[in-house]
Amino acid sequence: MKTSPRLSLNNGVLINQLGFGLYKVPPADAAGLVQAALAAGYRHFDTAAMYGNETGVARGLSAQLSSPSAGISGGSGELFPGISREDIFVTTKLWNDHHGYDAALRAFDDSMVNLGLDYVDLYLIHWPCPRKGLFPETYRALETLYREGRVRAIGVSNFQPVHLDRLLQTAEVVPAVNQIELHPWLQQEELRHKHQELGILTEAWSPLGRGQVLADPVIQACAAEHRRTPAQVILRWHMQLGHVAIPKASSEARIRENLDVFGFELSSRDMAALAGLDRGHRTGSHPDNVN
Ligand SMILES: NC(=O)C1=CN([C@@H]2O[C@H](COP(=O)(O)OP(=O)(O)OC[C@H]3O[C@@H](n4cnc5c(N)ncnc54)[C@H](OP(=O)(O)O)[C@@H]3O)[C@@H](O)[C@H]2O)C=CC1
Ligand SMILES: O=C(O)C(=O)[C@@H](O)[C@H](O)C(=O)CO
């Protein structure tokens, strides 16, 4: 079975470099897709309170992990023997209307109930919501959860350099991750450099540009040359740049295809060609406009 290599976060916790994204997965479909992804070899799942599917994710995981010590309740037995809670990496995120210290702690409790977990592997502030001006305080709540051992790592999402600078004026724990929109059409060079300087791992959301980048002629040509699919070329590019990536897919075939990116390599000429595709194209919102 194919699995993803793991990268080390700045606190030593390991994260599977390629995970499965669950935005826009209807709650009723989440359990089945999580199980299909587990069967394909995924061990890292990215959800959020806003996605409304944490309980579906829990159902998918609990079908696998049934023992009480696994910290997931309600399971019916191991579908894939040998996978334990420790092998699985679950990320969830605090939504925008729960900024503030107390609200953040309550939001986390709600996510834990939904997920049926004893601990979450990574908890992120979903958006900085700069006009609210509360993210430093919200992050303090994440630091509390981290110190209490309820999360193995904490981080942020959609933070711009200016938000990271502000956060680090008061933060005691450097975020492990900044999850940002990142794909060949939006390469976020300044932010990636900043992450490197600060020891923050870059995690790519919409790593396929929500599917839009698959049609790019340079990607298509590269895929033909390697006898791979456009999705595999883009995901391989992320892997070679050291990003974590969390593609979403709705069929078993695509779920398998997206994980099958560890058996070929893009040349330095391929990497240079893909580096030339940046056009600052966002498929989602700009972080300054989300509040
Ligand atoms: N922190 C944040 O603010 C955000 C986080 N995210 C996270 O990132 C994850 C991924 O981002 P997402 O926006 O879903 O976009 P992706 O870049 O992962 O693209 C998903 C789209 O690509 C299609 N697709 C997937 N694999 C293939 C393939 N092999 N061949 C052809 N088409 C394919 C999917 O189709 P189909 O589903 O029909 O198979 C879907 O339409 C989310 O699920 C979420 O977990 C996303 C947005 C914002
Ligand atoms: O998927 C997420 O995690 C999001 O926050 C986004 O999709 C977000 O809602 C967005 O990009 C809207 O344009």
Side-chain angles (χ1 to χ4, degrees):
M1 179 189 290
K2 297 190 164 54
T3 56
S4 154
R6 294 190 294 171
L7 302 179
S8 182
L9 300 175
N10 59 13
N11 64 355
V13 166
L14 298 177
I15 182 170
N16 308 78
Q17 196 178 2
L18 203 129
F20 185 71
L22 284 126
Y23 178 50
K24 292 227 165 128
V25 172
D29 297 348
L33 287 178
V34 165
Q35 285 173 27
L38 282 168
Y42 290 75
R43 297 294 178 263
H44 168 183
F45 298 91
D46 183 87
T47 183
M50 188 274 263
Y51 302 168
N53 57 27
E54 288 173 317
T55 53
V57 172
R59 274 200 309 282
L61 293 175
S62 69
Q64 168 59 33
L65 302 168
S66 61
S67 88
S69 65
I72 298 178
S73 51
S76 56
E78 286 194 10
L79 296 176
F80 315 108
I83 307 177
S84 63
R85 169 67 185 97
E86 293 70 38
D87 298 321
I88 289 176
F89 193 99
V90 178
T91 301
T92 194
K93 316 185 193 85
L94 172 130
W95 188 237
N96 303 345
D97 49 5
H98 292 113
H99 273 276
Y101 187 84
D102 291 333
L105 293 179
R106 282 195 300 272
F108 180 77
D109 285 343
D110 289 346
S111 283
M112 293 293 270
V113 169
N114 290 339
L115 286 165
L117 296 172
D118 286 342
Y119 65 88
V120 163
D121 296 280
L122 179 62
Y123 195 46
L124 303 179
I125 299 180
H126 205 141
W127 293 85
C129 300
R131 283 205 285 283
K132 286 194 178 85
L134 289 171
F135 65 77
E137 189 188 318
T138 306
Y139 192 75
R140 209 161 44 80
L142 269 60
E143 290 179 323
T144 298
L145 296 166
Y146 179 60
R147 289 202 187 89
E148 289 174 354
R150 300 182 75 200
V151 289
R152 295 174 71 225
I154 54 176
V156 294
S157 175
N158 296 303
F159 274 46
Q160 299 280 95
V162 65
H163 307 134
L164 291 173
D165 288 338
R166 172 62 193 90
L167 187 73
L168 290 170
Q169 285 171 14
T170 48
E172 292 176 1
V173 177
V174 175
V177 158
N178 189 13
Q179 186 185 111
I180 55 171
E181 180 174 354
L182 177 56
H183 44 72
W185 287 358
L186 181 71
Q187 299 195 14
Q188 304 261 29
E189 209 175 326
E190 181 194 358
L191 202 40
R192 287 191 289 131
H193 279 145
K194 180 116 191 148
H195 293 166
Q196 252 173 358
E197 274 166 30
L198 296 172
I200 296 172
L201 193 61
T202 299
E203 179 167 0
W205 66 251
S206 296
L208 305 173
R210 305 199 186 204
Q212 294 170 27
V213 185
L214 300 171
D216 186 292
V218 171
I219 305 280
Q220 297 258 338
C222 191
E225 198 180 311
H226 286 273
R227 295 171 193 251
R228 293 287 180 153
T229 66
Q232 288 173 324
V233 165
I234 297 172
L235 293 170
R236 181 68 209 177
W237 173 82
H238 283 290
M239 298 300 101
Q240 287 185 212
L241 289 175
H243 310 153
V244 170
I246 44 171
K248 173 250 182 189
S250 308
S251 70
E252 285 184 26
R254 284 181 177 177
I255 286 172
R256 279 196 304 273
E257 174 186 325
N258 291 349
L259 187 60
D260 185 11
V261 296
F262 299 102
F264 75 109
E265 197 161 347
L266 299 177
S267 67
S268 49
R269 192 170 53 88
D270 298 326
M271 292 300 282
L274 267 71
L277 298 181
D278 192 13
R279 55 176 82 164
H281 174 87
R282 282 185 193 274
T283 65
S285 306
H286 190 290
D288 287 343
N289 301 331
V290 175
N291 279 283

